[in-house]
Amino acid sequence: MLAKVISGATLGLESVPVTVEVDISTHSLPSFTIVGLPSKSVEESKERVRAAIKNSGAEFPAHRITINLAPADLPKEGPAYDLPMALGILIASGQINTDLSKSIVFGELSLDGSLRHTKGILPVSLMAKEKGQHSLFLPETNAKEAAVVDKIDIYPVKNLIALFHHLAGTVKIEPYKHTPFSNMQRERLAEFDLSDIRGQEQGKRALEISAAGGHNLLLRGVPGAGKTMLARALPGILPDLVESEALEVTKIYSVTGNIPEGDSVIKVRPFRCPHHTTSQIGLIGGGAHPMPGEISLAHRGVLFLDEFPEFSRHVLEALRQPIEDGIVTISRAAGTVSYPAKFVLIAASNPCPCGFWGDPVHNCKCLPGQISLYQKRISGPIVDRIDLHVELPPVRVEKLTNDEIEGELSEKVKKRVQAARNMQTKRYKKTSMVCNSDLSTKAIREMIVLDKDCINILRQAVSSMHFSARTYYRTIKVARTIADLEGEKEIAVSHITEALQFRPKENI
């Protein structure tokens, strides 16, 4: 007898239907074969499925079982085919009589028949809705994640026995209630509040501009100036994720298995902080079977690279294309996949190996050649792709010891950032852009009109500071964000001049 159960395979961040065909032949010796380009983890499903069926009280057929995972030319990976294979065997052996042509089945089995948390649920849920399927059977612990997708019945399955009774019509499994994104609680995760940071007003201002427009930022200063503290305060002022952004981020975390068990979607912007010993594959993504790296895990959030020059040169150079395009394409012999990587880069650097070059108090112990080599670890093309450059001076003792000076709370700054981001969302609602940093050269020319005074200042800046074309347009984007923070519809001279203050000193 032949049975067919529909499941799904994840390619990059998208899922495609996979039909699990089960044939049981009673005229051959007992065997269990899986075909259709299964990986080692899929091959091992045979023992999990056999034990799960027996330990659930059902009968495992003592016949020749052949399972085909179609389409046969698509490589199959992971344990998510356990449940559809077990269900197909029960149907093909006549122990269950049901029609699953409008259902998707997905999940990993334990030996006792219970279902384990399985990664890649959200892409499968979105695929099920897109293909017009009516229901989705998945592990109970994944139900909350899939419930963000509407217009499809999500059935949380605790174990194989519960699914058996549901399909037999004896004990029904109640569909999991859809959870609208607007009803989800957003957490506030920030290691520091901006009010905790004494001094460094220009650094705080740059942080606000970066958060509002999605601009890259380089903080450079002596040890103890507050570079790391400023960066770790950034999550407290980032604008809220909108639903489309949250689904993009959650798909990445779902595929990599980084969604906490029992959670639904990623509700706050990611903040990733990889160590400077991270490999190129760890940062960019890749592997024999390509998986997202840190830059994709930071999508629509922040990638904080502390001790920026300590990263390997080839690792930093690999950031060029993702910073510019917001996407990374990984090609391997097994295939090519693309992952989104639209992140805000926050980099922190010392001015020299000892950290005290230019410090008025401490003497730098580095030789001129050492300083030059250290600073050249960050190439010109990388520097050119960073919108905001801030030199942080040592904090004066008066500001550290004066408790009467109260800094501005992150909550207050966040309100200005959110208002500016709302203006951008409204401005770009008919485009694929989300914030000012997404503006292309063509979009800047079409959507931003500068008066003669602004153009004259930019012309002088290009002449005296030797701007590249990329820097010229990035300066306009920063000025547009500064205008948004002030609630202005047009860019003024003051916005241009402030944007120019955040260019590197060596260009002045």
Side-chain angles (χ1 to χ4, degrees):
M1 183 177 179
L2 179 67
K4 294 184 180 181
V5 180
I6 304 174
S7 188
T10 302
L11 299 176
L13 296 182
E14 305 300 326
S15 283
V16 295
V18 171
T19 302
V20 180
E21 302 174 331
V22 181
D23 176 73
I24 298 180
S25 175
T26 59
H27 303 291
S28 302
L29 294 174
S31 64
F32 194 167
T33 306
I34 301 177
V35 297
L37 287 185
S39 66
K40 181 65 175 176
S41 58
V42 178
E43 281 284 350
E44 292 175 348
S45 296
K46 292 187 288 188
E47 302 307 320
R48 291 194 296 271
V49 169
R50 188 195 308 272
I53 290 178
K54 289 183 176 180
N55 293 328
S56 297
E59 180 184 351
F60 188 83
H63 304 293
R64 180 176 180 176
I65 301 173
T66 304
I67 296 180
N68 178 41
L69 305 177
D73 60 344
L74 178 69
K76 318 300 188 306
E77 296 179 17
Y81 303 103
D82 290 2
L83 184 59
M85 284 193 286
L87 198 55
I89 290 173
L90 293 175
I91 295 173
S93 61
Q95 299 179 66
I96 298 178
N97 184 17
T98 186
D99 179 18
L100 294 176
S101 59
K102 288 296 182 179
S103 300
I104 300 287
V105 184
F106 197 81
E108 175 186 350
L109 284 170
S110 294
L111 298 183
D112 61 356
S114 61
L115 269 78
R116 298 174 59 86
H117 188 271
T118 309
K119 63 183 182 181
I121 288 294
L122 184 58
V124 171
S125 305
L126 294 171
M127 179 269 292
K129 178 184 176 181
E130 180 184 344
K131 297 298 182 181
Q133 301 288 26
H134 297 162
S135 56
L136 172 61
F137 295 92
L138 43 70
E140 190 176 43
T141 55
N142 289 109
K144 199 172 182 181
E145 177 185 342
V148 298
V149 181
D150 59 351
K151 298 179 181 179
I152 183 171
D153 293 329
I154 306 297
Y155 289 98
V157 182
K158 185 175 183 180
N159 51 47
L160 195 56
I161 299 175
L163 182 57
F164 183 95
H165 288 304
H166 172 82
L167 297 176
T170 53
V171 181
K172 288 291 184 180
I173 300 174
E174 292 298 323
Y176 200 93
K177 188 177 180 181
H178 167 62
T179 307
F181 182 76
S182 57
N183 294 347
M184 298 180 185
Q185 294 292 327
R186 292 176 174 83
E187 305 168 3
R188 302 296 181 207
L189 299 175
E191 195 171 340
F192 300 102
D193 193 280
L194 284 180
S195 61
D196 298 331
I197 304 172
R198 302 298 176 91
Q200 306 300 8
E201 301 306 326
Q202 189 182 26
K204 294 179 184 178
R205 176 62 172 170
L207 217 63
E208 181 179 346
I209 296 171
S210 174
H215 302 289
N216 301 323
L217 168 64
L218 173 62
L219 300 169
R220 180 180 292 173
V222 299
K227 303 183 293 295
T228 302
M229 198 173 182
L230 278 168
R232 293 193 178 278
L234 182 58
I237 64 172
L238 290 173
D240 294 330
L241 278 173
V242 299
E243 185 173 1
S244 59
E245 292 177 323
L247 289 178
E248 288 177 9
V249 176
T250 304
K251 284 171 70 175
I252 299 171
Y253 278 67
S254 178
V255 167
T256 57
N258 286 326
I259 296 181
E261 187 170 337
D263 209 342
S264 53
V265 300
I266 305 298
K267 310 176 190 68
V268 295
R269 296 186 182 275
F271 184 88
R272 306 293 298 187
C273 181
H275 193 260
H276 62 259
T277 57
T278 301
S279 67
Q280 182 174 327
I281 290 179
L283 189 67
I284 304 301
H289 301 286
M291 291 294 288
E294 288 290 337
I295 63 172
S296 295
L297 292 171
H299 180 62
R300 295 301 177 190
V302 176
L303 178 68
F304 175 42
L305 301 183
D306 203 359
E307 304 296 342
F308 198 44
E310 299 296 338
F311 283 81
S312 299
R313 179 67 178 261
H314 71 280
V315 172
L316 293 182
E317 294 306 305
L319 288 173
R320 288 193 195 181
Q321 183 260 341
I323 289 177
E324 198 72 18
D325 300 338
I327 192 170
V328 57
T329 301
I330 303 168
S331 297
R332 296 291 185 271
T336 300
V337 295
S338 294
Y339 293 114
K342 189 62 184 177
F343 56 90
V344 176
L345 173 64
I346 306 295
S349 168
N350 291 324
C352 67
C354 77
F356 293 109
W357 184 65
D359 190 324
V361 179
H362 299 87
N363 292 325
C364 176
K365 300 178 182 179
C366 304
L367 297 174
Q370 291 176 314
I371 296 174
S372 178
L373 287 174
Y374 185 79
Q375 293 181 350
K376 285 181 179 179
R377 291 181 183 179
I378 306 174
S379 68
I382 291 293
V383 171
D384 208 31
R385 286 167 167 79
I386 298 178
D387 305 330
L388 306 167
H389 297 254
V390 179
E391 297 286 341
L392 297 177
V395 182
R396 291 183 297 174
V397 67
E398 293 82 4
K399 293 188 176 182
L400 290 175
T401 57
N402 191 348
D403 293 333
E404 295 181 0
I405 301 177
E406 293 186 2
E408 194 172 25
L409 293 170
S410 291
E411 184 179 357
K412 188 175 180 181
V413 176
K414 179 182 167 56
K415 290 181 180 179
R416 292 198 299 269
V417 169
Q418 188 66 57
R421 185 60 69 90
N422 291 342
M423 289 180 64
Q424 295 165 45
T425 301
K426 184 177 180 181
R427 184 186 303 132
Y428 307 132
K429 64 181 179 180
K430 294 183 179 180
T431 70
S432 60
M433 296 177 291
V434 174
C435 56
N436 290 331
S437 64
D438 293 339
L439 284 166
S440 63
T441 301
K442 181 180 179 181
I444 291 174
R445 291 173 177 171
E446 293 177 350
M447 305 183 71
I448 297 180
V449 179
L450 299 175
D451 59 28
K452 291 183 179 180
D453 293 335
C454 291
I455 293 174
N456 288 335
I457 290 178
L458 283 170
R459 185 179 290 115
Q460 294 174 17
V462 170
S463 177
S464 61
M465 302 168 71
H466 310 293
F467 280 177
S468 66
R470 180 187 289 112
T471 302
Y472 171 81
Y473 287 111
R474 284 184 178 272
T475 302
I476 295 176
K477 290 192 281 188
V478 172
R480 178 65 266 174
T481 299
I482 294 171
D484 289 341
L485 284 168
E486 295 182 3
E488 299 292 339
K489 293 184 179 180
E490 303 296 336
I491 297 176
V493 171
S494 61
H495 305 143
I496 295 290
T497 54
E498 184 177 0
L500 290 173
Q501 292 177 11
F502 291 106
R503 295 313 306 164
K505 286 185 177 180
E506 53 264 29
N507 287 346
I508 298 177

